[in-house]
Amino acid sequence: MPKIIFYPVGNADTCLITLEKRFMLCDYAAKLNPDDPDDRRIDLPEALKEDINYPLRDTIDVVAFTHLDDDHICGATGFFHLNHAEKYQSEGRVKIDELWVPAAAIVEEGAEDEARVIRQEARHRLIEGKGIRVFSRPAHLKEWLESQGLTLESRLHLITDAGQLVPGWSKDQDGVEFFIHSPFGERDGDAVLDRNECSLVFQATFQAGGTQFLMAADTTYYNWHKIVAITRLHRNGERLKWDVYKLPHHCSYLSLSPEKGESETKPIANVQWLLDQGKSRAIVISTSKPIDDIDQDQPPHFQSKNCYKTNLKPKSGKFMVTMEHPNRVSPTRLTVNVTLAGASLETAAAIGSGALVSAPAPRVG
């Protein structure tokens, strides 16, 4: 049975898709001091190794870094085996079969710390011509390849553009397919790259129950406006339907609108259309700290939470927060089971046992 596992890592993202034969990890953000008793975030290296059955299995099929901000890559260079330098190949590291990155992660200049290391790994794999998939092909990418004595044409088999399915994955063979919504080539071609606007956004559609999972990275309302407009223009509205929605940017109002609102954020028109694509009994996941009804500058924003909950109410949907599951004192994995009957939250009683699940969402249509 496929599962989508969200890890409580504070205002940060890490999620694992487990399939019958393959694993896909989206982002990696570990706490730096696992022995701090006041830090309630999960011990990510330990949890992730347990979930992939390490050391019997020491490789993850796909590791996708949606973009290179710290809250999506923290600790990754200490956890993964990286091919480009021996210092990242010590015993106990988890290998990456295929690395997924937006083109911005290749062409970005001035990257520092872990972002620089992951950029070097992505560049190494692209030069080698294997073990990588790059999303979008802006002019900057063509220029960078030429600076390495390569052509864009020679690496097209490793590049997937928005509006395409990722090759090598299918519902029949793997139980899931991935449709890419972002990044757009023209955004990555800007002189100054905005990681959020250039981040990887996709819809995963599972064979089991036709369940659809929308993975939103840190997308802003501006980018959602473009994604919705382009998707509807090409009559691909089905590609924005969702049973499970990983909220952008830790429940920030800026993923809905330029205005926060006093008690509830009002989304712009195209974002409202996106929210309307949620199905009956849909599940919204806020990868964030606990959300209190206190106005604050940084996410999570309670005004944004109220917007999502308002839109979920007619669907009898659920709004979940990673650092509140099953409670704020001892948060742990938040697991969505994908079955023939649809998506369902694994109940707190089933954590660690796999014995019980909540009632599955009925299929519509």
Side-chain angles (χ1 to χ4, degrees):
M1 174 176 61
K3 295 176 180 284
I4 311 169
I5 304 172
F6 299 89
Y7 297 89
V9 289
N11 269 16
D13 277 12
T14 304
C15 131
L16 179 70
I17 298 175
T18 73
L19 302 161
E20 183 178 353
K21 298 179 180 179
R22 303 175 83 176
F23 290 103
M24 177 187 181
L25 183 73
C26 298
D27 294 323
Y28 179 96
K31 59 182 178 181
L32 296 180
N33 183 6
D35 298 322
D36 182 357
D38 295 324
D39 191 340
R40 293 188 172 91
R41 290 175 292 174
I42 198 168
D43 185 334
L44 186 60
E46 179 181 311
L48 194 52
K49 283 186 173 181
E50 180 180 334
D51 290 341
I52 67 170
N53 200 23
Y54 183 92
L56 293 178
R57 178 168 184 149
D58 66 355
T59 301
I60 296 178
D61 299 271
V62 169
V63 175
F65 290 113
T66 59
H67 58 302
L68 301 188
D69 281 351
D70 286 346
D71 55 339
H72 295 258
I73 65 170
C74 182
T77 59
F79 181 78
F80 292 108
H81 176 108
L82 303 179
N83 297 342
H84 76 276
E86 286 187 12
K87 66 182 292 187
Y88 303 110
Q89 297 172 7
S90 53
E91 186 177 353
R93 289 172 176 265
V94 172
K95 298 180 178 68
I96 300 171
D97 189 31
E98 185 170 272
L99 179 67
W100 288 10
V101 294
I106 300 284
V107 302
E108 178 178 346
E109 297 296 338
E112 298 178 349
D113 302 323
E114 291 195 281
R116 179 185 59 81
V117 176
I118 293 173
R119 183 194 65 183
Q120 290 305 109
E121 177 71 8
R123 287 179 171 183
H124 172 80
R125 288 175 178 240
L126 188 56
I127 291 170
E128 291 287 306
K130 58 185 180 182
I132 190 166
R133 180 143 303 275
V134 178
F135 295 90
S136 89
R137 42 178 162 169
H140 282 355
L141 182 61
K142 180 177 184 293
E143 293 166 2
W144 183 84
L145 285 167
E146 290 172 351
S147 75
Q148 303 299 311
L150 300 167
T151 64
L152 180 64
E153 289 71 23
S154 71
R155 294 296 182 267
L156 282 180
H157 64 292
L158 303 174
I159 299 172
T160 300
D161 291 324
Q164 296 180 349
L165 288 168
V166 178
W169 291 82
S170 72
K171 288 186 287 186
D172 289 339
Q173 295 296 318
D174 306 291
V176 67
E177 66 182 16
F178 299 98
F179 183 89
I180 303 303
H181 284 292
S182 175
F184 304 108
E186 72 273 14
R187 288 295 305 171
D188 286 349
D190 289 348
V192 178
L193 294 170
D194 182 324
R195 287 176 178 169
N196 290 346
E197 298 296 356
C198 298
S199 60
L200 176 60
V201 177
F202 63 81
Q203 181 210 57
T205 301
F206 294 87
Q207 184 180 53
T211 296
Q212 294 170 307
F213 168 41
L214 194 57
M215 179 68 183
D218 277 2
T219 311
T220 64
Y221 70 89
Y222 173 77
N223 216 35
W224 271 135
H225 171 76
K226 291 178 61 179
I227 289 171
V228 169
I230 291 172
T231 304
R232 297 182 72 183
L233 177 66
H234 291 282
R235 298 182 180 180
N236 279 330
E238 177 67 24
R239 294 298 182 177
L240 283 173
K241 291 186 180 297
W242 49 274
D243 298 275
V244 183
Y245 181 21
K246 198 291 295 183
L247 292 187
H249 211 276
H250 325 302
C251 204
S252 169
Y253 77 89
L254 289 173
S255 297
L256 295 165
S257 168
E259 302 294 334
K260 185 191 297 183
E262 290 188 12
S263 61
E264 182 173 320
T265 304
K266 181 178 180 180
I268 64 169
N270 273 3
V271 175
Q272 181 60 61
W273 183 90
L274 175 71
L275 298 180
D276 290 341
Q277 303 316 298
K279 302 178 192 176
S280 176
R281 303 283 292 278
I283 304 167
V284 165
I285 311 290
S286 176
T287 52
S288 70
K289 299 175 182 178
I291 306 177
D292 296 312
D293 291 341
I294 300 172
D295 190 33
Q296 55 188 14
D297 292 334
Q298 295 299 317
H301 299 121
F302 82 90
Q303 296 93 337
S304 178
K305 174 193 72 174
N306 288 342
C307 171
Y308 292 118
K309 294 185 78 169
T310 293
N311 280 272
L312 282 169
K313 190 172 182 180
K315 311 175 195 298
S316 300
K318 293 183 178 180
F319 181 91
M320 306 296 295
V321 180
T322 50
M323 289 299 292
E324 296 181 0
H325 176 79
N327 57 67
R328 296 186 177 198
V329 175
S330 302
T332 190
R333 301 167 180 82
L334 195 164
T335 300
V336 176
N337 294 316
V338 179
T339 71
L340 291 175
S344 61
L345 285 167
E346 194 164 277
T347 65
I351 294 172
S353 70
L356 299 170
V357 296
S358 59
R363 307 310 304 168
V364 177

